[in-house]
Amino acid sequence: MGEKWTDDEKIEMLLHSIKANTACGNVRKSFNLCRASPFGKTIDPGLCRFQAQTLIDCFEEIRKIPPSCQEEYSQAFQCVKTAQSEFIRLTTCNKEVEAYELCPHPAQENFRFFDQAFKRGE
């Protein structure tokens, strides 16, 4: 079994996952639609390789915090870390996490039109 994640790594992934859910929404939707079938069964994952790779690329871009969002990220990180270490409800950090989530990230623009481009075959 691999190395365990540190608490800091878990918090980092939590915050980036929240941000990616917003910033990579079109990519995620396209991937989910590709994997769905009219009968409720999933299809061959190989058919959705492009969408899967694009979703991973989008998430990896989100992990690169632009200087313009560094303060929001740091505040959210510290709030979650404090809440976690002191067994405080994470909802006390909603304001800080939302500020990071809403901070404009270049990936949002880069992947914004993914679903429309895919539908047109670009």
Side-chain angles (χ1 to χ4, degrees), residues 25-69:
N26 288 341
V27 180
R28 179 181 42 81
K29 288 175 191 172
S30 180
F31 175 72
N32 288 342
L33 287 172
C34 180
R35 290 294 315 269
S37 77
F39 304 108
K41 297 180 181 178
T42 56
I43 60 171
D44 177 9
L47 298 174
C48 303
R49 186 179 186 135
F50 175 73
Q51 290 87 344
Q53 186 60 55
T54 304
L55 183 58
I56 292 168
D57 292 346
C58 187
F59 182 78
E60 288 300 319
E61 281 298 310
I62 290 299
R63 293 184 66 204
K64 300 172 188 169
I65 305 164
S68 59
C69 294

Side-chain angles (χ1 to χ4, degrees), residues 99-117:
Y100 172 59
E101 182 181 12
L102 297 177
C103 184
H105 192 291
Q108 289 171 281
E109 191 60 35
N110 295 343
F111 292 94
R112 182 174 168 195
F113 298 107
F114 175 79
D115 61 339
Q116 290 90 352

Side-chain angles (χ1 to χ4, degrees), residues 60-102:
E60 288 300 319
E61 281 298 310
I62 290 299
R63 293 184 66 204
K64 300 172 188 169
I65 305 164
S68 59
C69 294
Q70 190 62 52
E71 184 176 337
E72 289 85 349
Y73 173 79
S74 295
Q75 289 176 359
F77 184 92
Q78 286 305 318
C79 185
V80 172
K81 185 172 184 164
T82 300
Q84 181 240 354
S85 67
E86 296 178 6
F87 300 103
I88 300 171
R89 292 179 59 130
L90 290 179
T91 54
T92 61
C93 299
N94 283 352
K95 183 178 85 175
E96 291 84 354
V97 171
E98 187 173 309
Y100 172 59
E101 182 181 12
L102 297 177

